[in-house]
Amino acid sequence: MGAAGLVGREREIAVLARLLERTPPSGAVLLMLGDPGIGKSVLLHEAESRGRARGFRILRLVGVESETTFPFAGLHQMVAPVLDRASQLPRPERDALLTAFGLVEGPPPEPCLIDLAVVDLLAAVAADRPVLVLADDVQWLDRQSHEVLTFVARRVHGPVVIIAVMRRGHTGPLLDAGFPELTVGGVDEDAAAQILSAHAPGLSPAEQRRIQREAQGNPLALRELPIGMTTVPHSGGLRPLTLSDRLERAFAGRGAELPSSTRDALLVAAVDPVDDLAEIIAGTSALRGEPVATEVFDPARAVGLVTVEEGRCTFLHPLMRSGILQAESLARHQAAHRALAHTLTDVYRRTWHRAQSIVGPDDRIADALEANAAHALSRGAVIAAINDLERSAQLTSWSALRGHRLLVAAGHAFGMGRDDIVHVLLQSAARTELTDLDRARMEWLGEMFDHGMPRDAARVDELCDIAVRSARADPDLALDILLGAAFRCYMADTGPAARARVLACVDRLPETADDPRHLATLALAEPVLRARQVIEALTRTSPADDGDALRVMSMAAHAVGHLALAADLLARSEAILRSQGRLGLLSHVLTMQALTHVLRGDLVRAADAAEEGKRLAAETGQPLWETGTLVCDVLLKALVGDTQGALRRATEAELHDARGRNAMLSLLQLARGLVSLAAGRNRDAYRTLRGVFDLADPSFHRAERFISLMFLADAAVRAGHREDARGLVAELEVTARETLSPLHLINLSYARAVLAADEDAEDCYLAALRQDLSNWPYAHAKVELAYGSWLRRQGRVRQARPLLTSAQTTFDRIGALPGGDEARLELRAMGAPIDWPESSAERWRQITELSALRLVDDEIAERLGLRAAVVAMYRERARPDTPR
């Protein structure tokens, strides 16, 4: 089309030019949106020309509507020219990518490992020269390729530019990812007139005005509607058809005047996702029952519908393909598919065409489609397998088998974290006559995307009934269902009867006692009463290199408060899941890691894990785990002293999946209590934290409440509620007497010491320090701070100083600024030197600026959410970057 196709496109060309001239080292992505024929592909060609001129390596892929069911077809177009660089990839990634393309035999690759392989492959190519990826008609890419392209666009690194073109009005993961968009609209009147004059110079002024009015600035319409004026009658004005409809009718009308043999050839080409000329000619011959030659396309070439060169037959525009298809009947479509199936030797494609050639049940084709699904899975094409199974179910005459195939498809969708697909498939399966076992599977799959709301004991009981009925035929499924029920018990308070029922059911499966899911079920259902049993079992169980089993074990360890063991299991699981590219499960691991690091006091690693976990949870469509990272971030912000950020994010979390989930609300309540403590609002802090221990409060949680205990003790002493807190600690002592949970015991020992009378306090502090706190830096510093403060108040300054200095050093090292400031206040009261960490510079700047406004300490403290004593201490500093 050349320069003529760029008339009126100065704005869009400028955007593309800037993108290619200023390619950042971390890459760039642009999504072009517009109506059919608006000129997106022409702009893409312009980007290609400019990219070549600037030395880019060009990689292209084009979506074809009839090709959407063939796995990785689009992806293969993109990477085929650089596939020789696959040898530079880590072996798991290389094997996954080559298996996906059917180039090597191997176990079914993880979809995310294929994603990572493409990211790393592009990075390897870009190390030599910048790469420009041009993706046209993304809406017609097969789903696997669309997902990979989206993942690559999110993770692109190095000098890689991706420009993707998509029709407006379509949806898909790339559109939902939030990349910068360039909307391509119609050209202005002057440009439209210029295009029309160039392509249809003989039109009368009235005809020009009518074409311009109907074309609405669409360049393709401006070129094609004049040609169609004689073949598509008008009624004298705008018809109630979209512009795309009019163009499709124009192209169909152009094809209607062709010889019947050419129309047959065009139909076969339109239903065949492969533009191989020999294949299309063979299919056309089968459709007509007589041999045809390549010259059959000459009339279609003459009217500008297709090009035939180098053994390929290609429609000049996607609307030409769809126009041909819409002009033909369903019976003709089926006949064309049947003809192609008759000529193909590829079993997968032959089966697909056979499935498109019929309406109604056909069990032989349904069985073949099920085999197709197995083949797709062997290449890591999970979406293609789901599509094959869904179509197989539609062609299956036996209702129970139809439902089973839908559930198998839903299981694969669940494994990808695609709750949207799971929901649709479960709805279809519910309308079939499922066996009892398949009905149990359906309940389990539904449960995985609905973890319950408070006091939903009836649902837990229902799940237990289903598990009991399933246990004899499928203990593995029964255990999955019970783990789902236990997770519901942990996330939201379902009451003692529901928890007891889960325990009774899992105890009836002694043959699964060593299964990580068995231990996780015990831990999640009764994290306090079964803590000793779970911890003893975990310490003697060492699974093989199974990342998912390690993840489930870490969930159990975390639930019972053995965070050191949980951290070890999570680290091992993370390494394995990363190497396998199982990013959906990796997001679970990172979320649990973030919380584990926060609670132990490794705040830097917690922030890194939470950030990556949130991104992966969003990318893999897991909102509950995304909210989990948000809750971690709230607690992290409170511990590092970002009080405003903590409160803002806490509200955000409660508006999402945290609402109604006690385990999350307990941590959010703790964060609010920490904010109140930092501001010196001790009564508010005690009231807030006390709610965590109130059975009637939405934030009550049997296990998570122990996390708040040491801070509750601090608030009780400062607010004058020592006796009430002592009574609570006595109750918890009884509850936790049989537990081996380090989390419970450490918090109880701290609270016991802080709340003790002076004559008993020292023994309690020494007992707390005798515990193994090597994996608990925050708790260790808290005990040192509390003990040092008590010694100072007793006048034992010489003994207090090393404890307070050690506490200050630890808090500053891990980034817990409020804790460090408390230690500095104590050291300041003794006249001891104070060290200032880099993290305190921003707080010092804020206080200095507010002081310059002549605000007093109390006013500054209220604005910043600090104690006035902390403000006074900062005002004494000389410079924020000079320790003293």
Side-chain angles (χ1 to χ4, degrees):
M1 199 173 297
L6 296 173
V7 173
R9 293 303 183 195
E10 292 77 13
R11 178 184 68 90
E12 292 87 350
I13 292 172
V15 171
L16 295 175
R18 286 196 300 270
L19 183 69
L20 296 173
E21 289 168 4
R22 305 173 186 173
T23 304
S26 58
V29 179
L30 178 68
L31 181 59
M32 269 200 289
L33 300 172
D35 294 326
I38 207 69
K40 305 183 298 297
S41 297
V42 176
L43 288 167
L44 206 61
H45 285 299
E46 175 67 12
E48 180 177 1
S49 297
R50 289 173 177 265
R52 289 192 189 281
R54 297 188 64 83
F56 279 81
R57 175 67 183 265
I58 309 297
L59 300 177
R60 295 187 60 96
L61 64 159
V62 181
V64 179
E65 185 172 5
S66 58
E67 199 171 303
T68 55
T69 58
F70 291 97
F72 300 118
L75 180 64
H76 190 264
Q77 292 179 49
M78 182 176 81
V79 303
V82 294
L83 207 52
D84 58 315
R85 303 291 289 271
S87 59
Q88 298 177 236
L89 299 175
R91 182 170 180 175
E93 293 181 12
R94 180 179 69 247
D95 291 348
L97 186 63
L98 297 180
T99 302
F101 294 147
L103 299 176
V104 299
E105 294 293 329
E110 288 286 342
C112 287
L113 204 55
I114 300 170
D115 297 339
L116 292 171
V118 179
V119 170
D120 290 342
L121 182 63
L122 292 184
V125 176
D128 297 335
R129 55 191 287 204
V131 173
L132 176 58
V133 176
L134 302 172
D136 202 356
D137 276 326
V138 169
Q139 75 278 354
W140 301 135
L141 285 176
D142 62 278
R143 187 68 184 202
Q144 283 78 204
S145 297
H146 198 154
E147 297 274 4
V148 174
L149 182 64
T150 305
F151 183 93
V152 171
R154 284 193 178 110
R155 295 298 189 89
V156 65
H157 54 87
V160 178
V161 175
I162 298 176
I163 302 177
V165 167
M166 193 169 178
R167 282 193 192 180
R168 195 166 58 178
H170 288 261
T171 60
L174 194 67
L175 183 65
D176 298 337
F179 296 118
E181 296 178 2
L182 173 62
T183 300
V184 182
V187 298
D188 61 24
E189 290 187 6
D190 290 342
Q194 186 177 344
I195 294 170
L196 199 56
S197 296
H199 290 272
L203 295 177
S204 68
E207 289 172 328
Q208 289 180 356
R209 288 193 297 272
R210 192 187 81 186
I211 293 296
Q212 282 190 249
R213 185 172 62 247
E214 293 196 7
Q216 302 169 15
N218 186 299
L220 179 65
L222 289 166
R223 292 191 302 271
E224 298 295 337
L225 287 180
I227 301 173
M229 287 176 61
T230 59
T231 58
V232 181
H234 290 271
S235 57
L238 290 176
R239 297 180 293 170
L241 294 173
T242 67
L243 181 59
S244 295
D245 289 336
R246 292 199 293 277
L247 286 170
E248 285 174 340
R249 289 197 175 192
F251 294 138
R254 200 179 303 176
E257 299 177 346
L258 300 175
S260 65
S261 60
T262 302
R263 293 199 304 272
D264 286 345
L266 286 173
L267 175 60
V268 172
V271 302
D272 190 355
V274 179
D275 58 3
D276 181 84
L277 180 60
E279 180 175 300
I280 294 170
I281 291 297
T284 305
S285 299
L287 177 63
R288 293 184 62 80
E290 61 182 15
V292 296
T294 57
E295 289 74 20
V296 72
F297 281 110
D298 287 349
R301 294 171 62 189
V303 296
L305 287 174
V306 297
T307 62
V308 178
E309 55 187 11
E310 297 181 356
R312 323 303 296 180
C313 177
T314 309
F315 285 94
L316 288 173
H317 194 278
L319 286 178
M320 296 178 179
R321 179 191 294 269
S322 57
I324 295 298
L325 288 172
Q326 291 192 23
E328 299 284 2
S329 67
L330 174 62
R332 286 266 292 159
H333 285 200
Q334 292 173 333
H337 280 294
R338 201 157 37 243
L340 279 168
H342 180 73
T343 63
L344 291 172
T345 57
D346 183 284
V347 175
Y348 187 94
R349 295 185 57 221
R350 183 173 68 237
T351 300
W352 183 83
H353 280 291
R354 289 177 64 203
Q356 308 310 308
S357 71
I358 61 171
V359 175
D362 188 312
D363 289 316
R364 286 187 304 170
I365 297 179
D367 292 345
L369 277 172
E370 188 175 39
N372 263 20
H375 175 71
L377 287 173
S378 72
R379 294 175 54 188
V382 182
I383 293 292
I386 293 169
N387 292 335
D388 287 335
L389 285 166
E390 189 172 15
R391 179 60 175 154
S392 173
Q394 293 169 355
L395 299 179
T396 301
S397 61
W398 182 25
S399 179
L401 181 56
R402 183 163 62 250
H404 177 77
R405 284 169 169 164
L406 289 168
L407 288 177
V408 173
H412 294 311
F414 165 70
M416 297 185 70
R418 294 298 305 274
D419 56 334
D420 54 337
I421 299 177
V422 171
H423 180 71
V424 171
L425 292 170
L426 292 184
Q427 282 187 321
S428 299
R431 294 191 288 268
T432 65
E433 299 173 3
L434 294 172
T435 65
D436 289 342
L437 200 57
D438 275 337
R439 192 159 297 280
R441 289 192 179 94
M442 185 174 72
E443 293 286 351
W444 172 68
L445 285 167
E447 181 65 18
M448 291 301 97
F449 292 103
D450 177 14
H451 298 297
M453 300 302 286
R455 314 204 194 292
D456 192 6
R459 178 57 178 165
V460 173
D461 206 48
E462 183 181 5
L463 289 170
C464 289
D465 288 341
I466 296 168
V468 169
R469 292 195 298 269
S470 306
R472 180 174 298 179
D474 193 340
D476 196 62
L477 175 61
L479 197 54
D480 278 334
I481 294 171
L482 289 174
L483 179 57
F487 192 74
R488 183 180 282 261
C489 290
Y490 190 87
M491 292 301 294
D493 183 14
T494 56
R499 296 194 301 271
R501 179 76 197 284
V502 174
L503 292 178
C505 289
V506 78
D507 285 340
R508 291 169 59 181
L509 297 172
E511 68 274 19
T512 67
D514 292 329
D515 191 301
R517 291 170 297 170
H518 188 114
L519 296 177
T521 300
L522 296 176
L524 293 170
E526 276 294 0
V528 177
L529 299 183
R530 293 296 184 103
R532 178 183 292 270
Q533 177 186 351
V534 170
I535 290 172
E536 290 176 346
L538 286 173
T539 53
R540 67 171 183 264
T541 302
S542 180
D545 292 337
D546 184 335
D548 192 26
L550 288 164
R551 176 190 67 88
V552 174
M553 289 177 67
S554 66
M555 186 186 300
H558 183 93
V560 297
H562 200 319
L563 300 191
L565 178 57
D568 177 64
L569 293 167
L570 287 166
R572 293 165 59 192
S573 177
E574 178 195 358
I576 295 169
L577 294 176
R578 280 191 190 280
S579 69
Q580 296 173 340
R582 302 171 73 179
L583 301 188
L585 293 180
L586 182 59
S587 71
H588 300 189
V589 168
L590 290 169
T591 302
M592 289 190 286
Q593 272 186 331
L595 184 55
T596 300
H597 292 325
V598 166
L599 298 180
R600 294 169 66 206
D602 194 343
L603 304 186
V604 174
R605 291 177 67 191
D608 292 341
E611 180 181 0
E612 185 182 6
K614 185 176 189 300
R615 185 179 72 246
L616 287 180
E619 289 177 0
T620 54
Q622 301 181 89
L624 181 64
W625 291 94
E626 189 176 357
T627 304
T629 61
L630 179 57
V631 172
C632 291
D633 189 47
V634 171
L635 192 54
L636 182 63
K637 281 179 164 51
L639 289 172
V640 301
D642 182 3
T643 57
Q644 295 303 313
L647 293 176
R648 183 175 61 254
R649 299 283 274 173
T651 301
E652 181 183 345
E654 285 184 336
L655 292 175
H656 289 83
D657 280 351
R659 182 172 50 192
R661 304 190 191 280
N662 304 57
M664 293 182 176
L665 293 177
S666 180
L667 296 175
L668 296 177
Q669 194 84 330
L670 168 58
R672 290 194 169 98
L674 289 172
V675 169
S676 294
L677 274 174
R681 299 192 302 272
N682 299 320
R683 291 182 180 178
D684 289 345
Y686 189 76
R687 183 169 55 251
T688 298
L689 294 171
R690 191 64 174 83
V692 175
F693 299 86
D694 183 353
L695 183 62
D697 193 280
S699 65
F700 172 83
H701 193 275
R702 292 178 60 78
E704 303 286 353
R705 58 183 168 164
F706 281 92
I707 299 169
S708 299
L709 189 55
M710 66 168 61
F711 305 104
L712 178 81
D714 290 339
V717 172
R718 298 177 188 179
H721 293 296
R722 189 186 297 262
E723 288 306 317
D724 179 67
R726 282 174 177 167
L728 177 61
V729 168
E731 293 175 13
L732 294 175
E733 295 270 17
V734 174
T735 301
R737 186 168 294 155
E738 294 301 318
T739 183
L740 294 175
S741 169
L743 176 67
H744 302 173
L745 298 177
I746 288 170
N747 276 271
L748 278 168
S749 68
Y750 178 89
R752 193 184 303 124
V754 169
L755 297 171
D758 282 344
E759 59 268 23
D760 300 320
E762 186 154 25
D763 288 341
C764 292
Y765 279 120
L766 292 173
L769 287 173
R770 280 195 297 269
Q771 298 177 106
D772 181 7
L773 298 175
S774 57
N775 291 306
W776 300 80
Y778 188 89
H780 193 186
K782 282 284 288 179
V783 175
E784 288 183 325
L785 172 59
Y787 186 23
S789 300
W790 181 84
L791 288 170
R792 184 189 65 79
R793 292 193 301 272
Q794 300 300 311
R796 297 160 62 179
V797 175
R798 183 176 298 177
Q799 293 171 277
R801 181 167 171 174
L803 287 166
L804 294 171
T805 301
S806 176
Q808 175 196 255
T809 300
T810 300
F811 283 132
D812 290 346
R813 176 175 56 81
I814 66 177
L817 185 59
D821 284 344
E822 289 295 322
R824 272 180 281 279
L825 283 174
E826 292 291 333
L827 288 166
R828 175 172 172 264
M830 296 189 307
I834 295 174
D835 288 331
W836 296 96
E838 291 183 6
S839 59
S840 67
E842 175 62 18
R843 177 167 290 179
W844 184 88
R845 184 192 62 77
Q846 292 173 331
I847 292 172
T848 301
E849 289 179 354
L850 292 173
S851 297
L853 298 176
R854 299 184 182 280
L855 298 180
V856 299
D857 290 355
D858 287 344
E859 292 173 319
I860 296 174
E862 184 175 357
R863 288 199 182 192
L864 299 181
L866 300 173
R867 294 166 57 193
V870 173
V871 173
M873 178 177 63
Y874 271 84
R875 291 181 70 170
E876 293 177 2
R877 292 181 62 180
R879 296 190 305 276
D881 55 349
T882 303
R884 62 187 179 95

